[in-house]
Amino acid sequence: IGPHGGPPSVVSLTLKKIADGSETRIALPANPRFGFPEWSPDGKHFAITNTTTGGIELWVGETASAKLRPLKVGRVNDLLGDPVRWMPDNRTLAVHLVPAGRGKAPETAAAPKGPNVQEGSGRAGPVRTFQDMMKTPTDEALFDYYATSQLALVDTADGKVTPVGRPAIFQGASPSPDGKHLLVTRVGRPYSYLHPVFAFPKEVEVWDRAGKVVHKLASLPLADQVPIEGVPTGPRGYHWRPTEPATLVWIEALDGGDPKRKVPHRDRVLMSKAPFDRPAVELVKTEHRLQGGFGGGRFGGGGGPLQWIENSEFVFVRDYDRDRRWERTVLVNAENPAQAPRQVWSLSAQDRYKDPGNALYRVLPT
């Protein structure tokens, strides 16, 4: 199960050694429709999906031998989020699988069983024009059917599949750097016929490897009140701090998410360390909005608002003044938040001559 537009159709894979430029062609099955490879942290293996008429398969490749083999784990559900993530042990994958025994898809009736009812909250809110929204209860049932996944840990060495928790609609499941936790985002009801899936209600939780909830970060409601050019209230941009075993970092709006509201600070950055039994620590308040990706790996590369420094307690924090089109970067001591942030850069977002460029990243052992 994958997006309507289909996956990228990679039909050839070649390993190239940077040291000497030599290339090794990887043998692929007939009629391949592979996605993009997901490298293990140590670079010795890569995981990749192959779309067939019978579903999406999971394959794993070995760098040293340039061999590729399928894993008999069932079908991958690639509809939402990132369906395949390496755990830090370089052997295990966190995978979204199609639930076993799912049965047939709900049938679309020739005529509706009743009226098409929509319920409003009674509060006015801005609505952009989106395409391909849900329109009927049948659409909701079809979404439940196709989007529901079983999160599982797959051992790439022996193919063993260990289910994690119960099936749900997962928008994300990110392993902590120590591999002991998963940061899980589950989509829930009520669905909206006016807003896309990223605005649907969510449960953001930390699970252990058995699927037990060890910490609830947030229960986020339907984001139908977000102002134009604003942000939702509550935690957003939540991710693991890459330089610690299991530390959550996230952003919260201090202006109700409304860019027109006059406040001394628009956002703040919070941090909470495992076992998450103490109040979150506020790292910094920013005068303007924190926005963009989250530096490094999947979180947006060099353009994100938070850029963690390897082997250091410091983090670069960037905010953006939309009225002036102005960017400012400060250096924050995450281990001593009482220490005043130090300004590093302050420049127009349109000034390419003074743009310092992007930070250089590398994959950590975890």
Side-chain angles (χ1 to χ4, degrees):
I1 297 173
H4 171 70
S9 295
V10 175
V11 296
S12 175
L13 288 171
T14 302
L15 288 172
K16 183 170 184 175
K17 288 186 178 180
I18 296 176
D20 58 15
S22 61
E23 296 184 352
T24 304
R25 190 77 171 264
I26 298 177
L28 302 183
N31 304 314
R33 290 187 64 192
F34 281 89
F36 294 119
E38 299 282 344
W39 289 97
S40 62
D42 63 7
K44 295 181 179 180
H45 295 85
F46 61 90
I48 196 168
T49 58
N50 183 37
T51 301
T52 70
T53 55
I56 300 177
E57 303 170 337
L58 179 62
W59 292 59
V60 64
E62 185 180 58
T63 307
S65 64
K67 296 292 181 63
L68 190 64
R69 58 185 173 86
L71 295 175
K72 304 298 183 180
V73 298
R75 293 178 293 170
V76 175
N77 191 335
D78 193 12
L79 193 62
L80 289 177
D82 194 336
V84 180
R85 299 290 297 270
W86 282 97
M87 300 294 284
D89 61 5
N90 294 294
R91 172 171 171 161
T92 308
L93 292 167
V95 185
H96 298 182
L97 295 175
V98 174
R102 184 180 59 172
K104 294 183 179 180
E107 294 183 0
T108 302
K113 297 180 179 180
N116 185 1
V117 178
Q118 298 185 47
E119 181 179 352
S121 64
R123 297 173 295 172
V127 178
R128 293 179 172 88
T129 300
F130 294 103
Q131 295 179 329
D132 301 326
M133 297 292 99
M134 293 183 185
K135 297 180 176 64
T136 66
T138 300
D139 291 343
E140 297 184 44
L142 288 169
F143 178 72
D144 284 338
Y145 178 82
Y146 286 112
T148 298
S149 299
Q150 173 64 62
L151 182 61
L153 297 178
V154 175
D155 189 319
T156 59
D158 58 18
K160 180 181 178 181
V161 177
T162 304
V164 180
R166 303 179 63 180
I169 300 177
F170 295 102
Q171 197 171 46
S174 174
S176 59
D178 65 3
K180 296 180 180 179
H181 302 87
L182 291 162
L183 177 57
V184 174
T185 303
R186 296 184 291 115
V187 176
R189 290 176 176 262
Y191 301 149
S192 172
Y193 293 1
L194 300 176
H195 299 272
V197 65
F198 63 74
F200 288 1
K202 301 176 185 65
E203 298 294 326
V204 185
E205 302 162 334
V206 177
W207 291 10
D208 64 15
R209 292 174 65 111
K212 178 183 177 182
V213 178
V214 298
H215 176 66
K216 180 181 285 292
L217 177 61
S219 292
L220 302 175
L222 177 68
D224 60 347
Q225 301 294 311
V226 179
I228 299 297
E229 297 190 18
V231 297
T233 57
R236 72 180 198 277
Y238 29 84
H239 64 285
W240 294 110
R241 176 175 169 177
T243 55
E244 288 210 340
T247 297
L248 283 178
V249 183
W250 66 94
I251 297 169
E252 290 183 0
L254 297 173
D255 59 358
D258 188 350
K260 296 182 179 180
R261 185 176 297 179
K262 302 300 181 182
V263 294
H265 298 97
R266 293 216 174 273
D267 278 333
R268 65 174 180 168
V269 181
L270 297 166
M271 184 175 73
S272 179
K273 297 185 180 184
F276 317 108
D277 55 355
R278 297 183 179 182
V281 175
E282 183 180 273
L283 296 186
V284 66
K285 288 188 177 79
T286 58
E287 181 181 357
H288 301 292
R289 185 72 73 211
L290 291 162
Q291 59 184 13
F294 292 86
R298 305 177 183 279
F299 294 105
L306 303 180
Q307 297 172 308
W308 294 93
I309 300 175
E310 184 181 1
N311 300 323
S312 170
E313 68 272 24
F314 289 97
V315 57
F316 288 114
V317 180
R318 179 178 66 89
D319 68 357
Y320 176 69
D321 181 353
R322 72 171 193 135
D323 295 329
R324 297 174 58 212
R325 304 294 190 266
W326 199 267
E327 296 181 1
R328 182 174 55 186
T329 301
V330 297
L331 192 64
V332 175
N333 188 333
E335 299 306 314
N336 184 16
Q339 181 179 325
R342 178 170 64 86
Q343 181 171 292
V344 182
W345 294 296
S346 181
L347 69 157
S348 168
Q350 299 171 321
D351 190 345
R352 297 195 176 190
Y353 290 98
K354 294 181 181 178
D355 189 338
N358 294 333
L360 178 65
Y361 287 91
R362 76 178 187 91
V363 178
L364 298 178
T366 57

